[in-house]
Amino acid sequence: MELNAALEEIGRAESLEALQALKVRYLGRNGLLTQAMKALGQLSPEERRERGRSLNEWKERLERALEAREATLKEQALQKRLEEEAVDVTLPGLAFPSGGLHLTSLILGELLRIFRRMGFSAVEGPEVESEFFNFDALNMPEWHPARDMQDTFWVEFKGEPSFTIQGPFGEEVNSLGGAVLRTHTSGMQIRYMIRHTPPFRIVVPGRVFRYEETDASHEAMFHQLEGLVVGEGITMADLKGAIAELARGLFGKEGRVRFQPTFFPFVEPGVQFAMWWPERERWLELGGAGMVHPYLFRVVDDYRERLGLPRVYQGMTGWAFGMGVERLAILRYGIPDIRYFYQNRLSFLRQFKG
Ligand code: DAH
């Protein structure tokens, strides 16, 4: 065995595996050095001492060479990894697109916050509604001209068990009727009253649908916010106070309201209300409202009776309102076309990130 050749070989090993093989070859149990050590027994004592000393020295030098080479290889491997996995912190970063609420959600959230402050709870109802809740129970019988104003999507629907209720002129009205995509959120007034005992204050946000020819100011789908307050001794003054509070919530201290008489079948008297927009010095026509028509209370009590619930609406009064959510946004931000809302055009929507 040639020591210098071995040392050189170790110094040239290119990998830890190769190095390990050399270690086995020289120092392993059957390694060359080990064999040479074993052969010592055949030598004379003098030769043995001499040879033994030099073998020990070889062993030590080989071990040191192996250790040194191992350290070098490990160091090289680390350097290589550091280079390969290096991150250039000076490169420009990747921008994460951040989401935001849709304009409609922002406005709805604002409206709900204002009403929550006044003690209202928010409830939701079905978007596919029965003809009875959407029309009949709201004092809009089949032949009523007010129905024409709400072009309707009718939905095919298999009948469920139903009963009849006396209509406004004593006629029999089916408590279910056909199914429609609700044309307004007012049907929830009836649904809520049937299941709850006054007093209460609710608002109902939701999507509504009309069979419209769409243009800049008409969409087949939009949102409304409905309100309903029922209790003993509730008056038109409470309605005015609440809408005025809404105006202050939306437009600040200077917010004012204007009521003008109008007709809706489910209120008497009925009004349309507008809000003063101080910044632009103009009125915004926002929705309809009025005192709940006594017919609604009668129908609700009849319905409750059919469900085995007590009649609780006699002697109650209440008010309701309904307003368009997109309409508020359109007026406030001067949006020229309602169709912008639901075209998912980000350049439009991003302007209103909450
Ligand atoms: N439902 C009516 C509409 O869609 C809005 C409305 C008017 C709701 C008067 C009301 C109300 O609750 O009292 O045009």
Side-chain angles (χ1 to χ4, degrees):
M1 191 174 84
E2 180 57 65
L3 177 62
N4 285 329
L7 291 175
E8 206 180 294
E9 218 179 344
I10 289 170
R12 277 201 318 261
E14 283 299 340
S15 68
L16 290 169
E17 294 76 46
L19 197 64
Q20 178 62 21
L22 289 174
K23 191 173 181 177
V24 171
R25 176 145 146 237
Y26 294 117
L27 303 177
R29 240 187 311 140
N30 294 313
L32 295 175
L33 198 82
T34 321
Q35 278 172 23
M37 295 266 202
K38 278 183 195 156
L40 285 176
Q42 291 147 20
L43 299 175
S44 70
E46 219 143 281
E47 276 175 321
R48 193 186 307 159
R49 195 175 329 122
E50 187 67 14
R51 179 96 173 123
R53 197 180 300 132
S54 80
L55 282 180
N56 268 333
E57 193 191 316
W58 284 23
K59 187 176 175 215
E60 234 169 76
R61 291 184 63 185
L62 283 171
E63 276 170 353
R64 258 185 280 132
L66 283 164
E67 264 167 43
R69 187 62 190 159
E70 183 176 336
T72 308
L73 285 173
K74 282 191 172 159
E75 171 70 19
Q76 280 173 357
L78 179 65
Q79 277 308 326
K80 195 167 160 231
R81 248 188 78 192
L82 285 175
E83 270 161 41
E84 280 171 2
E85 295 174 14
V87 174
D88 181 353
V89 292
T90 65
L91 285 174
L94 299 174
F96 270 104
S98 67
L101 291 178
H102 190 278
L103 172 57
T104 305
S105 305
L106 291 173
I107 299 273
L108 258 179
E110 195 179 344
L111 292 170
L112 292 179
R113 267 193 302 281
I114 295 169
F115 280 102
R116 209 169 293 139
R117 278 207 299 269
M118 289 190 262
F120 284 69
S121 9
V123 297
E124 289 182 299
E127 290 171 4
V128 179
E129 184 57 287
S130 77
E131 183 182 0
F132 179 76
F133 290 130
N134 194 81
F135 291 125
D136 296 283
L138 291 168
N139 199 20
M140 293 164 90
E142 209 180 344
W143 43 264
H144 199 289
R147 277 206 193 189
D148 286 348
M149 284 165 42
Q150 303 199 355
D151 300 298
T152 308
F153 286 111
W154 292 86
V155 179
E156 232 174 276
F157 169 71
K158 279 205 200 78
E160 274 174 27
S162 62
F163 44 88
T164 56
I165 273 192
Q166 221 177 61
F169 294 86
E171 74 276 35
E172 300 269 279
V173 178
N174 188 293
S175 69
L176 206 56
V180 299
L181 297 189
R182 65 176 172 194
T183 59
H184 52 183
T185 40
S186 302
M188 261 308 277
Q189 291 187 28
I190 308 296
R191 282 183 178 274
Y192 193 87
M193 285 197 279
I194 287 172
R195 294 287 172 185
H196 296 85
T197 302
F200 50 72
R201 280 176 277 200
I202 57 161
V203 277
V204 187
R207 250 184 270 254
V208 302
F209 306 84
R210 304 220 179 150
Y211 182 61
E212 302 268 17
E213 189 139 5
T214 58
D215 62 27
S217 48
H218 294 88
E219 251 296 13
M221 188 279 288
F222 55 98
H223 293 72
Q224 287 188 335
L225 184 71
E226 189 86 16
L228 176 68
V229 174
V230 180
E232 258 173 285
I234 299 287
T235 71
M236 196 96 181
D238 301 310
L239 165 61
K240 193 172 176 202
I243 301 292
E245 185 59 26
L246 172 62
R248 285 190 290 270
L250 289 173
F251 300 107
K253 274 202 212 75
E254 291 171 81
R256 282 188 283 143
V257 288
R258 177 183 75 183
F259 289 106
Q260 290 169 302
T262 192
F263 175 78
F264 296 100
F266 31 93
V267 284
E268 179 57 36
V271 294
Q272 57 191 41
F273 60 91
M275 288 182 191
W276 182 249
W277 187 12
E279 263 170 65
R280 295 279 170 95
E281 307 218 321
R282 55 174 285 208
W283 290 101
L284 305 181
E285 202 59 65
L286 285 182
M291 297 305 291
V292 177
H293 195 293
Y295 172 73
L296 272 64
F297 290 143
R298 207 263 286 151
V299 164
V300 165
D301 266 341
D302 286 356
Y303 201 109
R304 286 173 59 91
E305 204 164 76
R306 295 301 302 252
L307 299 182
L309 297 167
R311 302 182 75 93
V312 288
Y313 285 90
Q314 267 154 3
M316 294 293 158
T317 52
W319 55 261
F321 76 90
M323 62 185 284
V325 178
E326 287 84 352
R327 189 174 160 72
L328 173 58
I330 283 170
L331 293 171
R332 207 202 228 175
Y333 299 116
I335 297 166
D337 194 321
I338 191 175
R339 288 169 296 192
Y340 289 176
F341 279 76
Y342 303 111
Q343 277 171 342
N344 292 336
R345 210 195 290 166
L346 291 179
S347 56
F348 169 73
L349 295 172
R350 283 211 177 102
Q351 300 174 68
F352 306 101
K353 239 184 204 175

